[in-house]
Amino acid sequence: MPSRRSVLATVLGGAVCAAPCAAQSYTNYSVVTSSAVPGTYGGNTYAVDLNNDGVADLIVDDYATGSSIQPYFAVFIANGDGTFKAPVYYAYSPASIPPGDTGPYLVPMAFGDFNGDGNIDVAMPVANDTIAVYLGKGDGTFANPWYSVIDLPSNQYVVPAYLSIVAADFNHDGKLDLALVAENTDYSGQTVYVLPGEGNGLFSTADPVINIPNPGYGGDWGVQELLTGDFDGDTNADLAVQAATGDTEGGEGTVTVQVLYGDGNFGFADTTPITEDDGFPLNAGDLNSDGKTDLFSIGSYWYGQGNRTFASYSQQLPEASYSMSSQPMADFNGDGLNDIVMTAQTYTSSFLVFLLATPTPGQFDVQTWNLPNPPATGSPYASLPVAGNFQSMDEKPDWAIIVPSGSSDSIAYAGLNATVGQLWSNCPYPAAGNGISLCSPAISSGSQVNFNATAHSFENLRKMEVWVDGTKLGEQYNTWEGNAFFNLSTTLSPGTHSGTYFAADFDNTLIQYNFTFTVPSSCSAPSSPGVQICAPASGSSISSQSVLVQATSNITGTLARMEIWVDSTKQYTETTSASLSAAVTASPGTHQFTVYAVNTDGTVWSQAATATIQ
């Protein structure tokens, strides 16, 4: 009988199609290599910002060092340039490893701020009725785990393996909760429970949500995967439960996906909208940017609808052995459509396969990207890919992967996105694991105001909104793997306005950023080629760390861009207008604000103004 630990699925058999299937805006990357480190990867790699610098780090489960298998998970802290520091190892609780088990362990992990201190933590099931939470210190390290004993029926135990734990705020109380799977000791059934969070990293009660009968011969089937999202777009966290029921001879039986729609108070409405033929593990994300979470697997896509159904699509992919589990979603080529990346492998080669979205729902073009070939003496298989920001102050989604370099060493690779796209944000992501980066409002001409911001979240974001003077001007669903960006152009009357950006997670947990800005009457261009800074006035004092910079240029030739630099740091770029107005940030003290105008021939004009932030 096939195992749930398998990470490859063969589609039509054979090797990867080396050529794209149709015309598309393809991705391009600058691949950065970290030094080889002792140890070999496990079953899952996660991209998580562990030290709150806005750059994704890596957590690898089932990490092995030396000649014997050790029950570790490994943490690779990112340097911000695509490379990673040598891993730091954390031992699993001995109780999480069944006696005599030699691995792979694949102890499932859920991530979030479970104690409300602004740092990301890791939760995992251990022992029969115990949850361990490794509380993050905010610097990339963890304290010794806190243990919570859950009140379960005597004939059940927590399943400490596979993809069986997720986190969300299911009741909107601001405290992160968990959902997990418990199994009957006689393998006759399984139960999905929700564990209300106490807000301090501990859990005590378990509320049953759904029972899964007859998980198969020996209990080796049952719940294959738990996923969270907002599948109907009602701002309440939902659950998707992929389960397989076997027969008495150990066959797989039927694989179904039951979607449990949350009511925001630990209540769930059960539906069974999907029956799968292949049972491949699912992934969740907003593929079509409509604010509703979708489900997808290898060549199969289910788009969430507001009426609690799914629109189903499928396509035939090129022949390959594809990674079954991790299939990160992001707009890798900057065309405004979310794409998918996964690995495909033969014994001697490993590939990244990008499914590049087209305007037709459920139809993707294929682009392959060669990974470094490992030596013949080691395992040729790379870890599953992850997507994230692996370069500081960047606005494009990157990828990372771990590849064996020998029998006991591994190398982390990052593909820094060098694709020339047009529909990403023009705003770098915030230098924080959970927060919003404000790059504008900016006045492009007259009363035309451009709003531009990005957000990171410890959870998966659903949307961003902007409000001005108490009125919502717009909401957008440009989200990917815990990130979001917002671009909006509108007209506002001259004067000072109050604004707020909101970034909302799929459970409607909000990140908020308040600001004020002024729409000026006008800013005249200089009479001869050059730059005129209208604000801030040189020598002025400003009481806010959010500084309005307003300037207009007069250039020869065609404009390439205008830039705002605060001291030696670039904070804003405008490419569509010879005038700009942007809110940039500066710490208390005296700073130089420089505006550059550059034409397509490379000629540069500039002007600087000095202002003191009080």
Side-chain angles (χ1 to χ4, degrees):
M1 183 172 63
S3 168
R4 285 186 289 189
R5 293 172 177 173
S6 173
V7 296
L8 293 179
T10 300
V11 176
L12 301 181
V16 175
C17 171
C21 298
Q24 179 62 272
S25 175
Y26 300 123
T27 59
N28 187 35
Y29 299 92
S30 172
V31 179
V32 180
T33 305
S34 298
S35 300
V37 296
T40 55
Y41 68 89
N44 298 292
T45 303
Y46 304 92
V48 185
D49 184 4
L50 300 173
N51 57 348
N52 284 329
D53 63 354
V55 180
D57 310 300
L58 300 180
I59 290 184
V60 184
D61 67 10
D62 189 31
Y63 205 80
T65 60
S67 58
S68 62
I69 300 293
Q70 299 293 326
Y72 294 119
F73 66 89
V75 171
F76 294 73
I77 297 298
N79 292 317
D81 59 0
T83 63
F84 299 88
K85 292 179 171 59
V88 176
Y89 308 106
Y90 292 87
Y92 288 121
S93 167
S96 65
I97 308 302
D101 194 346
T102 59
Y105 305 112
L106 305 182
V107 177
M109 299 178 178
F111 303 95
D113 182 5
F114 295 106
N115 63 343
D117 66 351
N119 303 319
I120 199 164
D121 312 310
V122 182
M124 62 185 70
V126 298
N128 289 337
D129 55 0
T130 305
I131 301 297
V133 175
Y134 292 74
L135 296 177
K137 299 180 180 180
D139 59 0
T141 65
F142 296 97
N144 291 329
W146 289 33
Y147 294 101
S148 297
V149 177
I150 310 303
D151 185 16
L152 291 177
S154 60
N155 68 329
Q156 286 191 327
Y157 65 97
V158 172
V159 178
Y162 318 131
L163 306 174
S164 60
I165 187 170
V166 292
D169 183 1
F170 290 104
N171 66 334
H172 301 299
D173 67 350
K175 301 173 184 178
L176 204 57
D177 312 307
L178 290 173
L180 54 73
V181 180
E183 188 160 38
N184 296 344
T185 54
D186 63 358
Y187 305 124
S188 61
Q190 295 176 337
T191 303
V192 175
Y193 288 95
V194 168
L195 280 55
E198 298 181 3
N200 56 4
L202 297 175
F203 305 84
S204 58
T205 61
D207 299 329
V209 175
I210 188 173
N211 294 314
I212 305 297
N214 187 25
Y217 183 76
D220 199 32
W221 289 97
V223 175
Q224 308 291 286
E225 195 167 8
L226 282 183
L227 295 166
T228 53
D230 183 3
F231 300 102
D232 57 352
D234 68 350
T235 73
N236 296 319
D238 308 319
L239 282 169
V241 183
Q242 184 191 46
T245 56
D247 57 35
T248 57
E249 300 300 322
E252 179 179 342
T254 302
V255 179
T256 60
V257 179
Q258 293 179 251
V259 177
L260 312 175
Y261 290 96
D263 65 2
N265 194 29
F266 297 130
F268 294 88
D270 182 13
T271 64
T272 309
I274 298 171
T275 299
E276 296 181 276
D277 295 329
D278 47 43
F280 292 162
L282 296 176
N283 296 266
D286 189 357
L287 280 174
N288 58 343
S289 299
D290 67 349
K292 304 173 191 66
T293 308
D294 310 312
L295 296 169
F296 51 96
S297 185
I298 301 174
S300 298
Y301 318 97
W302 297 271
Y303 290 80
Q305 310 292 310
N307 61 357
R308 297 188 171 182
T309 64
F310 286 80
S312 177
Y313 302 91
S314 64
Q315 70 175 129
Q316 187 175 21
L317 297 179
E319 298 180 359
S321 291
Y322 292 95
S323 59
M324 288 178 62
S325 297
S326 176
Q327 296 176 24
M329 180 206 75
D331 179 10
F332 291 104
N333 60 352
D335 64 355
L337 304 172
N338 278 328
D339 313 308
I340 300 169
V341 63
M342 53 188 172
T343 54
Q345 301 165 348
T346 66
Y347 184 76
T348 58
S349 301
S350 297
F351 305 85
L352 285 181
V353 178
F354 291 89
L355 301 182
L356 302 176
T358 71
T360 303
Q363 296 299 306
F364 297 78
D365 290 341
V366 178
Q367 178 192 3
T368 62
W369 185 278
N370 289 333
L371 291 173
N373 288 326
T377 56
S379 168
Y381 295 123
S383 72
L384 302 179
V386 292
N389 277 111
F390 298 108
Q391 186 171 7
S392 299
M393 299 299 292
D394 187 31
E395 73 277 3
K396 300 178 182 180
D398 311 311
W399 54 262
I401 202 164
I402 296 177
V403 177
S405 63
S407 60
S408 60
D409 293 334
S410 294
I411 298 176
Y413 294 89
L416 302 183
N417 201 326
T419 309
V420 180
Q422 299 180 359
L423 296 180
W424 291 302
S425 174
N426 192 35
C427 183
Y429 282 91
N434 200 68
I436 292 175
S437 177
L438 171 72
C439 287
S440 59
I443 290 79
S444 58
S445 62
S447 59
Q448 191 75 22
V449 182
N450 297 327
F451 291 90
N452 191 213
T454 54
H456 283 315
S457 175
F458 291 149
E459 300 181 58
N460 281 326
L461 287 167
R462 176 173 172 263
K463 65 177 179 178
M464 288 189 72
E465 298 179 354
V466 67
W467 291 65
V468 172
D469 301 331
T471 301
K472 183 168 70 173
L473 296 187
E475 63 182 17
Q476 296 178 0
Y477 303 102
N478 304 310
T479 61
W480 60 281
E481 303 294 327
N483 306 282
F485 64 87
F486 187 93
N487 292 317
L488 176 69
S489 182
T490 188
T491 57
L492 291 173
S493 61
T496 300
H497 300 270
S498 297
T500 301
Y501 282 110
F502 291 102
D505 291 326
F506 67 88
D507 57 12
N508 212 40
T509 300
L510 298 179
I511 307 171
Q512 182 174 341
Y513 191 107
N514 300 320
F515 58 94
T516 60
F517 65 101
T518 300
V519 178
S521 298
S522 64
C523 180
S524 300
S527 58
S528 58
V531 174
Q532 173 68 36
I533 295 180
C534 298
S538 192
S540 61
S541 294
I542 301 171
S543 59
S544 172
Q545 294 185 37
S546 180
V547 181
L548 174 67
V549 178
Q550 182 188 4
T552 304
S553 64
N554 178 0
I555 68 168
T556 60
T558 302
L559 176 74
R561 63 189 181 276
M562 291 185 70
E563 299 175 349
I564 300 173
W565 289 65
V566 179
D567 301 325
S568 59
T569 301
K570 182 172 67 173
Q571 289 208 13
Y572 183 76
T573 302
E574 168 64 51
T575 60
T576 61
S577 174
S579 63
L580 60 77
S581 180
V584 299
T585 57
S587 59
T590 300
H591 300 275
Q592 179 171 284
F593 299 83
T594 305
V595 176
Y596 295 92
V598 185
N599 68 13
T600 53
D601 294 328
T603 305
V604 179
W605 297 267
S606 67
Q607 187 180 47
T610 300
T612 300
I613 310 302
Q614 297 177 342

